[in-house]
Each structure stands twice: as structure tokens, then as C-alpha cells.
């Protein structure tokens, strides 16, 4: 009846592990992850004050697919049926400054839940390496490389400042989650580089 109030219940079998049934709407939510593909068969009733209907269902819960990549760049193949993925990117850290060891800055970080992808398509990626050190000559460290996934970019950390024997020594480079640190003899307030990783909607920089 179109004006009836329905009440839903599991009458035989059981929902997949972790699943719950909303007795007012019939929605089934909150499945737990499984180690292997798992089928669950159960019967649900939809009842009014005067009538009850039942139907038996089988739900197949798929195990997570884990793929390892050993190349620093390439393409991620999107499984069929997948329209969004959670993405965590960490860029390469900045190299330290020469001799005196002025520190390099941390690589930028991006965490993007539900990044849209095309089922069966591919997304290009690259993994940034850390920057080189300033060496015995006391030069600046170099900035770390960016890490990318599609349109997302985590920026490399800033390199450390140089360590020349006499002033003026230079400040660290800007980059990533943090800029590099300047050489210790610098007394001005701006000897540290600045972080450059932007914080975008849905991301944390």
C-alpha cells in the first residue's frame, strides 16, 4: 500500500560481517573488509500492519586489491567499477646545506579522499626523490622533487642554505611542507625558507 509504514528485518541467514539493516528504510550499510571474496545469503522481510513480503538476497563482498609499483613513474590502472580512490602523496625532502649541515625542509604532503577516476582508465604518477646535499664546498642543498598523481602535486621540500666561511651566508630554499634552514651564523629573522605546499579543498598541505 502506498501509504503504509514499512518495517524491515532479516528473517533468515545473516548480513555480511559488519553490516547493519535500517529497519525503517531497508538500507544495508557498514560492511567490514574481507581477506577473500565472501558471499552472504539472507532473507529480508518488509512488513506493514496487515501484510508481509520477503525476498532472499546474496551479496558478494570483494577482497581489497593490492598492487605494488616499483618504478618511480608510470601509470596506475584503475580497476573496473572504481570511480574514486583515496590518494596520499609525499614529495621528496630537501637536501641539507654543505659542511655545516643546514637542514633541508620536509617534502609536501597531500591527502585527497575520493579523488575521481575513470573505471578502466589510467592515471599517471611520479614519485619525487630527495634533494642533493651542498657538499664539501658548503653550497646550498637542492630542493626535493615533486610527487604527482594525475592533477595532484606534492611539492618537494626546500634545500638547506649554504655554509660559506664568511658572511653573507644565504637562507634555505622555499619548498614543500617546509623550507630549508639557513647556515647557523646568519642572525637575521628570515634565514629559513618558507613552506610552499598549497592547501586545496579536500587536501591537507
Amino acid at each position: 500500500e502506498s501509504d503504509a509504514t514499512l518495517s524491515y528485518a532479516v528473517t533468515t541467514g545473516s548480513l555480511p560481517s559488519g553490516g547493519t539493516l535500517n529497519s525503517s528504510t531497508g538500507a544495508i550499510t557498514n560492511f567490514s573488509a574481507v581477506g577473500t571474496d565472501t558471499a552472504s545469503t539472507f532473507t529480508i522481510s518488509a512488513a506493514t500492519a496487515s501484510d508481509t513480503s520477503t525476498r532472499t538476497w546474496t551479496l558478494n563482498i570483494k577482497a581489497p586489491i593490492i598492487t605494488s609499483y616499483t618504478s618511480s613513474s608510470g601509470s596506475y590502472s584503475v580497476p573496473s567499477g572504481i570511480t574514486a580512490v583515496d590518494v596520499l602523496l609525499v614529495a621528496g625532502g630537501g637536501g641539507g646545506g654543505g659542511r655545516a649541515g643546514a637542514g633541508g625542509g620536509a617534502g609536501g604532503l597531500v591527502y585527497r579522499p575520493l579523488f575521481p577516476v575513470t573505471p578502466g582508465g589510467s592515471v599517471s604518477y611520479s614519485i619525487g626523490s630527495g634533494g642533493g646535499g651542498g657538499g664539501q664546498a658548503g653550497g646550498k642543498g637542492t630542493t626535493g622533487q615533486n610527487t604527482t598523481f594525475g592533477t595532484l602535486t606534492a611539492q618537494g621540500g626546500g634545500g638547506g642554505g649554504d655554509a660559506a666561511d664568511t658572511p653573507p651566508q644565504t637562507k634555505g630554499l622555499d619548498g614543500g611542507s617546509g623550507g630549508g634552514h639557513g647556515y647557523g651564523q646568519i642572525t637575521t629573522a628570515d634565514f629559513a625558507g618558507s613552506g610552499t605546499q598549497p592547501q586545496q579543498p579536500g587536501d591537507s598541505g
Side-chain angles (χ1 to χ4, degrees):
E1 304 89 342
S2 61
D3 60 346
T5 299
L6 295 173
S7 177
Y8 299 88
V10 176
T11 56
T12 62
S14 59
L15 299 177
S17 176
T20 57
L21 172 68
N22 186 309
S23 61
S24 299
T25 66
I28 301 173
T29 55
N30 300 328
F31 299 147
S32 299
V34 294
T36 58
D37 293 357
T38 303
S40 298
T41 300
F42 50 90
T43 299
I44 290 181
S45 64
T48 67
S50 59
D51 191 20
T52 299
S53 295
T54 61
R55 182 174 292 181
T56 299
W57 307 85
T58 296
L59 287 183
N60 295 298
I61 308 301
K62 306 293 286 184
I65 299 174
I66 299 174
T67 304
S68 297
Y69 296 86
T70 58
S71 174
S72 60
S73 63
S75 294
Y76 164 68
S77 297
V78 182
S80 61
I82 299 298
T83 59
V85 294
D86 293 348
V87 181
L88 172 65
L89 303 179
V90 180
R99 283 193 304 194
L109 180 144
V110 172
Y111 173 59
R112 177 65 182 271
L114 299 178
F115 180 73
V117 293
T118 301
S122 63
V123 182
S124 61
Y125 70 87
S126 64
I127 309 300
S129 61
Q136 292 299 315
K140 285 187 178 184
T142 58
T143 297
Q145 294 180 344
N146 295 346
T147 292
T148 64
F149 184 84
T151 59
L152 301 176
T153 300
Q155 297 183 359
D162 71 22
D165 289 327
T166 58
Q169 292 87 10
T170 56
K171 73 172 189 175
L173 300 173
D174 297 341
S177 291
H181 199 280
Y183 180 54
Q185 292 184 15
I186 296 178
T187 57
T188 58
D190 62 346
F191 61 91
S194 300
T196 59
Q197 180 67 51
Q199 185 166 4
Q200 306 164 55
D203 305 345
S204 49

